Amino acid sequence: MNYTLHQLQVFLKVSEKQSITKAAEELFLTQPAVSIQLRNFQDQFSIPLTEVVGRKLYITDFGREIAEAAEKILDQVYAINYKSSSYEGNLSGRLKISIVSTGKYVMPYFLSNFIKGNEGVELLMDVTNKSKVVKALELNEVDFALVSVLPTHLKMDKIALMTNKLFLVGDMKRSFNSKNKNKIFKDLPLIYREQGSATRGAMEEFIRKNNLPTSKKIELTSNEAVKQAVIAGLGYSIMPLIGIKNELRNGDLQIIEVSGLPIITTWNLVWLQSKNLSPAANAFLAYVKEEKEDIIAEHFDWFENI
């Protein structure tokens, strides 16, 4: 066999995402490039690593065993690289973070200068919904997680980063002269995030607490999809302010004033109390504590004032 480290990386990512498209996005490669590497890797085995059923890619039992072996091999390679960097006096290692989908508008600003200043640190950041973020934290698969709703069943430490504000938003085709919740929600077609989303949980809790009548429900699986659906006029939704800055400025969306809104929560950087943080993770934690206020002032001043 003559497989390369790059092929191992590609196959491992495909096995994690069970999608060539998603793997290509995370690896910053084209879909054809991922497909070629996957095919070249498969050619070295007589047993299939993957199979396609109904246009969906699945990893075979044999493929899962190869993926586990690939992860161990790559971990050893990374360990060699990190040891080399540490002997040269440079901070090195992997920094693994899992964040809720709206956190992608926040977390990069807390990471940017740290990563630029520590070239030996490799960042692995997974963007998903709250349920999967908590699961990754629970299984000790990550160093940190970014959440707006704290899981109560885990013993964690945390740093509060900044507030998270959720407003009712819609397109610009209709005006609202009343802030009365019942009147506004009675005939609005609502767009929901998928089950497991913290935004959906906050929206459903607001509706339940206020005993609001709701109209036709549409469910979409990402914040971006919800935003585009609202802009297109498919319906209305309670959305995090942080993700609609440009659309508000461009006049594509409007905030609908409703009594009881916005919902205000807090983005927290959390980690398990029992976690033995690596030097890279400890350095990042110190960086966040020291630079947090400056980062907020530089990048989120507009947000705090709405």
Side-chain angles (χ1 to χ4, degrees):
M1 291 188 180
N2 193 31
Y3 46 76
T4 66
L5 291 175
H6 184 54
Q7 288 172 352
L8 291 175
Q9 289 172 323
V10 168
F11 178 66
L12 181 58
K13 186 59 67 176
V14 169
S15 69
E16 289 173 354
K17 299 300 176 183
Q18 295 196 43
S19 165
I20 290 176
T21 300
K22 291 179 180 178
E25 290 174 354
E26 294 217 0
L27 293 168
F28 301 101
L29 298 172
T30 64
Q31 291 183 42
V34 170
S35 296
I36 290 169
Q37 292 298 326
L38 184 61
R39 184 169 64 249
N40 290 341
F41 190 58
Q42 173 65 79
D43 287 345
Q44 299 180 70
F45 301 93
S46 59
I47 303 172
L49 300 168
T50 63
E51 58 185 351
V52 177
V53 179
R55 300 184 67 182
K56 181 171 175 57
L57 181 73
Y58 293 90
I59 309 301
T60 64
D61 290 341
F62 175 67
R64 282 194 290 272
E65 291 189 21
I66 296 300
E68 289 177 8
E71 185 172 22
K72 292 177 182 177
I73 292 170
L74 290 170
D75 282 343
Q76 290 301 312
V77 171
Y78 294 137
I80 292 171
N81 293 337
Y82 301 150
K83 287 177 183 178
S84 176
S85 292
S86 64
Y87 269 93
E88 294 171 358
N90 299 319
L91 182 66
S92 61
R94 272 179 154 181
L95 182 62
K96 297 181 180 180
I97 302 177
S98 185
I99 66 175
V100 293
S101 58
T102 354
K104 64 178 175 285
Y105 303 110
V106 175
M107 201 67 227
Y109 294 99
F110 288 87
L111 285 161
S112 179
N113 285 340
F114 177 79
I115 296 299
K116 287 177 183 177
N118 297 282
E119 295 181 356
V121 175
E122 179 188 4
L123 173 65
L124 299 178
M125 186 168 73
D126 185 38
V127 182
T128 184
N129 67 31
K130 183 195 115 183
S131 294
K132 293 180 180 178
V133 168
V134 172
K135 193 68 176 176
L137 192 66
E138 188 174 9
L139 295 175
N140 197 31
E141 295 174 345
V142 294
D143 299 308
F144 302 105
L146 182 71
V147 294
S148 59
V149 178
L150 294 171
T152 57
H153 66 291
L154 298 177
K155 292 183 178 180
M156 302 177 306
D157 289 320
K158 66 182 178 72
I159 297 177
L161 295 186
M162 54 184 286
T163 55
N164 179 30
K165 302 177 183 179
L166 296 96
F167 291 86
L168 178 66
V169 298
D171 61 19
M172 304 300 291
K173 296 175 184 176
R174 180 174 171 181
S175 60
F176 296 84
N177 300 317
S178 170
K179 294 183 182 181
N180 184 279
K181 293 186 289 288
N182 285 65
K183 287 183 179 179
I184 290 176
F185 276 85
K186 185 176 180 180
D187 60 349
L188 288 186
L190 291 180
I191 301 175
Y192 287 66
R193 282 286 305 278
E194 79 283 3
Q195 289 285 355
S197 159
T199 298
R200 175 173 178 148
M203 180 172 169
E204 290 181 327
E205 179 68 6
F206 177 77
I207 290 170
R208 184 191 65 78
K209 278 187 174 180
N210 291 277
N211 196 26
L212 296 174
T214 55
S215 186
K216 180 181 178 181
K217 182 174 75 174
I218 301 170
E219 183 175 305
L220 299 174
T221 57
S222 76
N223 193 65
E224 286 298 316
V226 172
K227 180 166 64 177
Q228 294 305 320
V230 173
I231 292 172
L234 273 176
Y236 298 75
S237 191
I238 292 179
M239 299 188 68
L241 176 65
I242 197 73
I244 57 174
K245 173 184 176 182
N246 292 333
E247 288 73 20
L248 291 173
R249 287 181 174 177
N250 295 337
D252 296 321
L253 292 175
Q254 64 170 316
I255 290 175
I256 302 163
E257 293 189 33
V258 175
S259 57
L261 291 179
I263 301 166
I264 299 179
T265 59
T266 302
W267 274 296
N268 291 282
L269 186 69
V270 302
W271 63 99
L272 294 175
Q273 286 183 358
S274 58
K275 179 73 175 177
N276 185 18
L277 293 175
S278 68
N282 270 317
F284 176 64
L285 202 55
Y287 168 82
V288 170
K289 289 177 180 177
E290 183 176 346
E291 301 294 334
K292 180 181 76 168
E293 297 304 327
D294 288 341
I295 293 169
I296 292 171
E298 181 179 356
H299 298 289
F300 301 104
D301 183 59
W302 68 272
F303 176 84
E304 296 294 335
N305 294 326
I306 294 180

